[in-house]
């Protein structure tokens, strides 16, 4: 809260934590959902060129928020939208997949349960439908979601795919054979804190206020996240982006340009 320092390392966190002005000690090393929704929508329009798409919320705030952010952009581009809603508790999507028409080339799944995305993909294949799945953070699970040709947008990268981080990735892989997208933002936040403390020490004994001032002045030209880290007056990441992966036939995630 106001007394301590907090770093937000996942995107599905209330945007009001930074935008309200009530939490001056909160900082984000990753972008907010209101960056993800528009970025993903524009990518779909520019690169996948759908004339018709289905977008399915899972009845949770994260999912419905992304749907609300994406839908106006799709409509402005003249894309026909079939907005569906399904509970996270559903485990067979045959009836939902039956609504995917031959003209529907993309299905957007801003879901939080990777196994559900995998089942949806299997149901698509069973019904011989070729729509491309475009998922968000919750579907990032190389062990659970492996649908060939699907896209996954995530708040953090898998550092295996950032050349500058090969040494760190090798060390992490040696100790933790499997890891996802949460580790790099935590590492980045810790690094920001360490640098801020070191900076505050130069002026004497560091205090909460001096460390806070140093964090606000953070200006890292590069980071483990593959992007600079600098905070605006609210504590949000300046120029932040989401990372996009495409799954190949072997089920491997490949980092691709997100714009």
């Amino acid at each position: 809260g106001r007394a301590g320092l907090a770093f937000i390392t996942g995107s599905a966190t209330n945007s009001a934590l930074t935008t309200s002005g009530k939490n001056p000690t909160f900082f984000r090393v990753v972008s907010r959902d209101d960056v993800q929704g528009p970025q993903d929508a524009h990518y779909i329009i520019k690169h996948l060129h759908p004339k018709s798409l289905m977008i399915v919320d899972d009845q949770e705030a994260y999912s419905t928020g992304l749907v609300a952010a994406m839908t106006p952009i799709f409509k402005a581009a003249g894309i026909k939208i079939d907005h569906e809603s399904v509970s996270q508790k559903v485990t067979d999507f045959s009836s939902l997949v039956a609504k995917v028409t031959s003209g529907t080339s993309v299905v957007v799944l801003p879901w939080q349960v990777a196994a559900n995305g995998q089942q949806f993909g299997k149901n698509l294949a069973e019904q011989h439908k070729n729509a491309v799945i475009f998922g968000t953070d919750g579907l990032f699970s190389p062990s659970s979601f492996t649908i060939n040709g699907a896209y996954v947008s995530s708040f953090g990268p898998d550092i295996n795919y950032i050349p500058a981080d090969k040494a760190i990735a090798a060390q992490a892989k040696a100790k933790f054979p499997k890891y996802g997208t949460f580790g790099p933002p935590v590492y980045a936040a810790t690094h920001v804190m360490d640098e801020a403390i070191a900076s505050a020490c130069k002026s004497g004994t560091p205090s909460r206020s001096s460390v806070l001032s140093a964090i606000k002045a953070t200006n890292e030209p590069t980071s483990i996240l593959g992007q600079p880290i600098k905070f605006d007056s609210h504590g949000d990441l300046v120029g932040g982006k989401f990372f996009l992966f495409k799954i190949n036939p072997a089920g491997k995630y490949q980092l691709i340009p997100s714009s």
Side-chain angles (χ1 to χ4, degrees):
R2 299 182 66 87
L5 295 169
F7 283 93
I8 302 171
T9 57
S11 67
T13 307
N14 192 338
S15 62
L17 287 175
T18 47
T19 58
S20 68
K22 296 179 180 180
N23 303 293
T25 57
F26 275 66
F27 298 87
R28 297 179 194 267
V29 293
V30 295
S31 293
R32 302 194 319 238
D33 293 342
D34 56 5
V35 172
Q36 181 180 29
Q39 178 182 298
D40 289 352
H42 287 301
Y43 182 92
I44 290 169
I45 293 167
K46 182 178 179 180
H47 296 279
L48 303 185
H49 312 292
K51 293 182 178 180
S52 177
L53 62 76
M54 175 185 283
I55 187 167
V56 189
D57 71 66
D58 68 2
Q59 301 176 2
E60 298 293 334
Y62 164 78
S63 184
T64 56
L66 283 176
V67 171
M70 292 179 178
T71 298
I73 297 173
F74 291 142
K75 287 184 177 179
I79 298 170
K80 182 179 179 181
I81 304 167
D82 177 10
H83 178 195
E84 302 287 342
S85 182
V86 65
S87 169
Q88 288 185 349
K89 297 180 180 179
V90 173
T91 56
D92 187 318
F93 304 97
S94 299
S95 59
L96 183 59
V97 167
K99 296 181 180 182
V100 177
T101 68
S102 58
T104 301
S105 58
V106 176
V107 177
V108 184
L109 302 180
W111 293 0
Q112 290 282 40
V113 182
N116 287 353
Q118 183 73 7
Q119 184 59 47
F120 189 97
K122 289 181 178 178
N123 290 147
L124 274 176
E126 291 167 356
Q127 296 186 30
H128 307 289
K129 296 185 176 180
N130 299 316
V132 174
I133 294 177
F134 193 105
T136 54
D137 306 90
L139 295 195
F140 190 103
S141 178
S143 62
S144 301
F145 183 64
T146 57
I147 301 300
N148 180 30
Y151 293 81
V152 180
S153 166
S154 178
F155 59 84
D158 181 333
I159 58 175
N160 284 294
Y161 301 105
I162 297 179
D165 297 325
K166 283 186 176 180
I168 296 174
Q171 293 178 41
K173 191 172 183 179
K175 189 170 185 179
F176 308 104
K178 293 182 179 180
Y179 56 90
T181 54
F182 282 92
V186 172
Y187 183 103
T190 302
H191 182 69
V192 168
M193 179 65 80
D194 288 343
E195 290 295 302
I197 292 172
S199 177
C201 284
K202 293 178 181 179
S203 301
T205 303
S207 64
R208 191 183 303 278
S209 60
S210 64
V211 172
L212 177 59
S213 295
I215 291 174
K216 290 181 177 180
T218 295
N219 189 8
E220 298 183 4
T222 186
S223 72
I224 194 174
L225 300 176
Q227 62 181 0
I229 295 181
K230 183 178 181 179
F231 304 112
D232 65 16
S233 60
H234 298 288
D236 283 318
L237 186 66
V238 173
K241 64 178 181 180
F242 274 72
F243 298 86
L244 189 60
F245 298 83
K246 186 174 183 180
I247 303 175
N248 69 18
K252 302 295 184 181
Y253 284 54
Q254 297 179 310
L255 185 65
I256 62 175
S258 57
S259 60

